[in-house]
Amino acid sequence: MSFPKFYSAANFSKNFALQNDLSLQARAIRIINVFRFILSLIFVTFYIYADDLNLMGSENASLFFSLALAYALFSITLLIITPLKSSAVIFFHPLQIVIDILFIIMMMYAAGGIQSGLGLLLIITIVTASLFSNGRLALFYAAVATIGLLLEQSYRIIKWELAVSSYTQSVMLSLSCFATAWLAYSLAKRVLQSEALASSRGVDLENLAQVNELITQEMQDGVIVVDQNLNIRHHNLQAKILLSLEKNDSKELSLKDNAPIIANIFSDWVNENSNNKDLIISVNNRELNLRIEPINHQNRKLGAVIFIQDWSKIQAAAQQTKLAALGRLTASIAHEIRNPLSAISHANQLLQEEENLTKANVRILQIIEDNTQRINQIIKDVLELNRRDRTQQETIVLNQFIVDFHTQFCAIEKIPSTHFSLHLYPQQHSITFDRRHLTQILWNLCKNGWEHSRKVEGSLKLNCVHGNDNLQLEIIDDGAGVAEQDRSKLFEPFYTTKASGNGLGLYISRELTEANNSQLVYQPLERGSAFILQLKNSN
């Protein structure tokens, strides 16, 4: 989420709050309309049963009934108009309240004056209207009611020649109207202040939530929030990439369906109530490092935040560090190695110039020459591991190449041919590969397999098979295999379980394989191990 989107989201929140306030006011007016309609029905019912209960004199009964019908018609009209013109009704709402006050005063007059008790409806109307208008017109409504009460009482005094002291009840009711109006105004003011504070806090919380979401989305680590039902309540973009989550964000995601391995780890973490530990798992051919933090430290079952790191990237960075150290190391010793190697090569050439050499001696000298060149090439390859684009690829006929390699490997490593079996392709196939690199890769893998095998007949195998979409070379041994805890470190530089090893053989083999657009993988067997060279550029 960019900052402009964040700013527009904040403005949207304010506009939404304003629209929400208007809708609340419209709903409040509809409630008042319903109350007004019920009140008019009560007035009509009161008139119908007034004669039976002797509640009203016959003098103004017809006037009371006419006012009740008019009030009912007024309330029904507002009930019909309000949904159609809600904004106009809100604007003319004060006029409606004034009409309510006038109706109540006239009906109070028709019912017998202040003694009828209908004047108490003025207090209810003023309080209700004041609260719904946020207290802005509370004193105005009280003033209108007071004027109406005094005029009604003055008319009765003049008409019936009553004593001036009869103003007492009207004045007390008027004071009650002002008192309730003032209380309603004070209460509405406090409500407004509370709403303003809540709105301000709401905007702050919304902004804080959006800032947190922005930070979370830009994190390099994956973050998912899981509830007690193993549902993913929130996740960032990196978690979506690492776990290959569904693209439909509106749908509730289940951790058990999208990442069952993490779901099982989370369930064990909740039930065991153990300390949090970093866990390395494999998901979608990626090694991921998990760190689980509970939402509530007192109760882990309420959910947790799971941080996910791409462990393969961390390993790649560590390998680059080791590679830099390897470059400095090999640069310093390359000269010391090449000096005696050059002397051996020169001496071998002098010996080859001797006459009367037997065929066996010629073969031995040729092997010396081949291996001095191979050692020299290995030094060059190690020095250029970080420049994998320097390959001299050529077309290689696989069957012929593998036969030559098998013969040379058995002769140099002194392995009986019966102990190293070979299974060729039934048909001729060719690949595009660097010949020197392919020789070094197969030499490293076969030598490693022979050293860990039982060294009996058929202990080492080189099988040429067809994969799903490519050709494969399988180097299989019958040794003890690789321990499960060591498999993730197989192709790391300088990692070895042999006392005399330098930990570079498998690492260099994989680097050279990838430099030729191929892939080297390890596959455990029930008895022994298998390194599979998947050749991509095949014909």
Side-chain angles (χ1 to χ4, degrees):
M1 181 186 294
S2 61
F3 188 79
K5 291 183 179 179
F6 162 73
Y7 179 74
S8 62
N11 290 335
F12 172 78
S13 299
K14 294 181 180 179
N15 294 331
F16 177 78
L18 179 60
Q19 295 295 330
N20 192 44
D21 182 66
L22 292 176
S23 63
L24 287 175
Q25 192 173 6
R27 287 198 296 268
I29 291 176
R30 285 195 288 269
I31 294 174
I32 294 179
N33 290 338
V34 173
F35 170 75
R36 183 185 294 115
F37 175 70
I38 295 174
L39 187 60
S40 65
L41 293 180
I42 292 174
F43 286 152
V44 174
T45 305
F46 178 75
Y47 170 77
I48 294 173
Y49 293 98
D51 292 339
D52 297 338
L53 300 175
N54 296 321
L55 296 175
M56 184 186 300
S58 61
E59 182 179 354
N60 294 323
S62 59
L63 177 61
F64 183 87
F65 181 67
S66 299
L67 290 172
L69 290 178
Y71 194 50
L73 182 61
F74 174 68
S75 62
I76 292 173
T77 303
L78 290 179
L79 281 174
I80 297 174
I81 295 177
T82 299
L84 302 178
K85 299 288 184 180
S86 58
S87 58
V89 171
I90 292 173
F91 181 76
F92 290 104
H93 180 63
L95 180 60
Q96 300 172 27
I97 300 301
V98 172
I99 294 174
D100 288 335
I101 293 174
L102 294 179
F103 264 113
I104 292 174
I105 291 175
M106 288 188 292
M107 298 186 74
M108 182 183 67
Y109 167 75
I114 195 72
Q115 291 81 7
S116 65
L118 295 180
L120 295 176
L121 294 175
L122 292 173
I123 296 177
I124 298 175
T125 303
I126 291 172
V127 171
T128 306
S130 300
L131 290 176
F132 286 135
S133 64
N134 296 328
R136 290 189 296 268
L137 301 174
L139 296 179
F140 170 73
Y141 296 145
V144 172
T146 298
I147 293 173
L149 286 171
L150 294 179
L151 288 177
E152 188 272 339
Q153 188 62 28
S154 299
Y155 178 76
R156 294 184 67 84
I157 290 174
I158 294 173
K159 182 177 180 180
W160 302 102
E161 297 180 356
L162 300 176
V164 179
S165 59
S166 60
Y167 273 114
T168 303
Q169 291 182 344
S170 299
V171 172
M172 293 299 296
L173 184 57
S174 300
L175 292 176
S176 299
C177 289
F178 272 102
T180 54
W182 179 259
L183 290 175
Y185 171 76
S186 302
L187 180 60
K189 187 177 180 181
R190 289 193 176 185
V191 170
L192 285 176
Q193 292 176 349
S194 299
E195 287 181 353
L197 180 60
S199 178
S200 176
R201 296 286 176 84
V203 172
D204 292 340
L205 289 175
E206 181 69 18
N207 292 341
L208 181 60
Q210 292 175 353
V211 170
N212 290 337
E213 184 177 357
L214 176 64
I215 295 173
T216 303
Q217 292 296 337
E218 295 298 327
M219 288 179 62
Q220 297 298 319
D221 295 341
V223 178
I224 58 175
V225 180
V226 183
D227 61 12
Q228 62 271 24
N229 298 321
L230 294 181
N231 292 324
I232 300 176
R233 309 300 299 179
H234 175 75
H235 65 277
N236 64 351
L237 180 61
Q238 186 67 12
K240 185 176 182 179
I241 295 173
L242 294 176
L243 301 180
S244 300
L245 299 178
E246 298 178 6
K247 295 183 179 181
N248 188 8
D249 296 334
S250 61
K251 182 180 178 181
E252 189 177 68
L253 298 177
S254 172
L255 184 64
K256 186 175 294 185
D257 296 335
N258 290 274
I261 299 177
I262 299 179
N264 294 334
I265 292 174
F266 177 75
S267 300
D268 295 339
W269 175 81
V270 171
N271 296 328
E272 291 179 3
N273 198 23
S274 59
N275 294 329
N276 183 24
K277 295 181 179 179
D278 291 342
L279 302 172
I280 306 297
I281 63 172
S282 179
V283 177
N284 298 329
N285 296 324
R286 286 192 179 100
E287 290 187 350
L288 304 180
N289 181 26
L290 302 183
R291 181 167 58 88
I292 306 176
E293 293 293 341
I295 296 176
N296 189 331
H297 290 276
Q298 278 70 35
N299 188 0
R300 290 187 174 185
K301 295 183 178 180
L302 296 179
V305 180
I306 303 177
F307 298 92
I308 307 172
Q309 287 182 319
D310 191 347
W311 191 248
S312 58
K313 289 185 177 180
I314 298 176
Q315 286 182 318
Q319 287 181 357
Q320 291 300 323
T321 303
K322 291 182 178 180
L323 183 60
L326 172 63
R328 292 191 296 268
L329 175 63
T330 52
S332 62
I333 65 175
H335 180 69
E336 299 298 329
I337 294 177
R338 281 176 174 170
N339 282 341
L341 191 62
S342 297
I344 294 173
S345 178
H346 181 66
N348 183 69
Q349 292 176 1
L350 293 177
L351 288 175
Q352 287 179 338
E353 294 176 358
E354 291 288 337
E355 298 179 354
N356 301 324
L357 292 175
T358 63
K359 291 183 178 180
N361 290 336
V362 171
R363 177 62 178 165
I364 292 173
L365 293 176
Q366 184 62 39
I367 291 174
I368 294 174
E369 182 180 357
D370 292 341
N371 282 275
T372 53
Q373 292 178 359
R374 190 169 67 87
I375 293 173
N376 186 55
Q377 188 60 47
I378 289 174
I379 295 174
K380 291 181 180 179
D381 291 337
V382 171
L383 289 172
E384 296 179 0
L385 273 177
N386 59 340
R387 304 184 67 179
R388 304 189 307 176
D389 56 332
R390 293 187 176 182
T391 59
Q392 297 178 357
Q393 296 184 354
E394 57 182 291
T395 302
I396 301 175
V397 180
L398 272 179
N399 282 348
Q400 183 61 44
F401 175 86
I402 292 171
V403 169
D404 294 340
F405 168 80
H406 179 267
T407 303
Q408 186 179 12
F409 181 80
C410 292
I412 294 175
E413 298 295 337
K414 298 179 181 180
I415 299 175
S417 58
T418 56
H419 290 50
F420 183 10
S421 61
L422 191 64
H423 299 277
L424 300 175
Y425 292 108
Q427 298 176 352
Q428 290 291 344
H429 294 281
S430 60
I431 61 171
T432 303
F433 215 96
D434 189 306
R435 185 178 293 272
R436 294 179 294 105
H437 289 173
L438 184 58
T439 301
Q440 185 172 350
I441 293 167
L442 293 179
W443 203 285
N444 289 342
L445 296 177
C446 292
K447 186 176 182 179
N448 183 74
W450 175 252
E451 290 177 350
H452 290 87
S453 69
R454 299 169 60 193
K455 296 181 177 60
V456 295
E457 186 173 346
S459 289
L460 186 63
K461 299 177 182 179
L462 199 163
N463 298 333
C464 302
V465 298
H466 289 276
N468 294 330
D469 299 322
N470 49 41
L471 302 176
Q472 294 182 356
L473 300 180
E474 297 179 349
I475 295 88
I476 302 173
D477 66 80
D478 60 354
V482 181
E484 185 175 357
Q485 64 271 17
D486 296 332
R487 292 172 188 172
S488 60
K489 304 176 183 179
L490 265 180
F491 297 101
E492 290 186 4
F494 303 111
Y495 178 80
T496 179
T497 57
K498 297 185 296 184
S500 59
N502 56 17
L504 291 176
L506 292 178
Y507 175 72
I508 292 175
S509 298
R510 189 181 65 173
E511 291 294 314
L512 297 180
T513 300
E514 293 178 355
N516 288 271
N517 192 29
S518 297
Q519 189 175 4
L520 178 62
V521 296
Y522 169 77
Q523 180 177 339
L525 303 176
E526 294 183 1
R527 184 176 181 180
S529 301
F531 286 90
I532 303 174
L533 181 60
Q534 300 175 352
L535 305 171
K536 300 295 179 64
N537 299 332
S538 60
N539 300 316

